[in-house]
Amino acid sequence: QKEVEQDPGPLSVPEGAIVSLNCTYSNSAFQYFMWYRQYSRKGPELLMYTYSSGNKEDGRFTAQVDKSSKYISLFIRDSQPSDSATYLCAMPSRGGSNYKLTFGKGTLLTVNP
Amino acid sequence: EPEVTQTPSHQVTQMGQEVILRCVPISNHLYFYWYRQILGQKVEFLVSFYNNEISEKSEIFDDQFSVERPDGSNFTLKIRSTKLEDSAMYFCASSPQGASAPQYFGPGTRLTVT
């Protein structure tokens, strides 16, 4: 079983829709969860960073964590064409004196005007 | 807002040649990373670096790879003898803390090995 699974999509929605993006993970050692946005041929851009189970809101974005189910979600409200990108979930795990990120494969989102 | 920068943005090289990819992490960050992303695949961890030494390296990071922090600002990834399968986007990242703090990524260097 892969450590982090993410439906690659593609996902296509009309402007203004609510978008739901999800990841599941198998490693119970994952305690922190990040969502990155990646535009084509660009670097991942940090969107959300969460630790505890429950919801965290930042503008139009809400991150949700359910540790009991090993399931995380990112919701985008009032989606805009500029939200069109690949969304990556990532989880840090310890390696030596440092942490490394394990990424999902990413979900490609297109928001149509 | 401070950001991670990387040069060059695109590097084309012939198989067997050495390449050096350069990164300038965010200035007060202490932890540095390299990741790579082969086209259409997930972002993969290569190596982490702290206090002038490697903290962890992945199976991908074999003897052909090395990292260095030659001065107070630059962080480099060297591939000694490139192979076709090294063609990928290489991302540098930095973090203010090691304890699972967020990592901030640069724009990447696209490496094409011919």
Side-chain angles (χ1 to χ4, degrees), chain A residues 3-17:
Chain A
E3 280 196 297
V4 180
E5 302 239 29
Q6 186 174 9
D7 184 343
L11 185 60
S12 181
V13 302
E15 184 175 352

Side-chain angles (χ1 to χ4, degrees), chain A residues 4 32 34 36 38 41-44 46 49 88 92 94-101 103-105, chain B residues 31 33 35 37 40 42-43 45 48-49 55-56 89 91 98-103 105-107 110:
Chain A
V4 180
Y32 297 82
M34 301 169 197
Y36 286 84
Q38 186 178 28
R41 294 188 180 270
K42 301 291 185 186
L46 182 66
Y49 172 66
L88 311 170
R94 190 174 183 112
S97 58
N98 213 337
Y99 282 76
K100 64 179 182 183
L101 292 179
F103 281 87
K105 198 169 180 184
Chain B
Y31 297 83
Y33 311 84
Y35 291 82
Q37 186 177 33
K42 60 170 65 177
V43 177
F45 168 78
S48 59
F49 191 87
S55 306
E56 188 184 4
M89 284 289 285
F91 296 109
S100 63
Q103 296 178 20
F105 283 72
R110 181 154 64 103

Side-chain angles (χ1 to χ4, degrees), chain B residues 53-110:
Chain B
E53 60 182 27
I54 290 174
S55 306
E56 188 184 4
K57 55 186 180 180
S58 71
E59 292 175 355
I60 304 166
F61 195 89
D62 61 21
D63 292 342
Q64 294 301 313
F65 291 86
S66 62
V67 290
E68 194 177 36
R69 187 152 163 85
D71 53 43
S73 59
N74 290 284
F75 181 49
T76 61
L77 174 69
K78 182 194 289 186
I79 309 175
R80 249 180 290 280
S81 178
T82 50
K83 307 184 187 74
L84 294 176
E85 54 265 37
D86 294 327
S87 295
M89 284 289 285
Y90 288 81
F91 296 109
C92 173
S94 70
S95 173
Q97 300 166 257
S100 63
Q103 296 178 20
Y104 297 88
F105 283 72
T109 292
R110 181 154 64 103

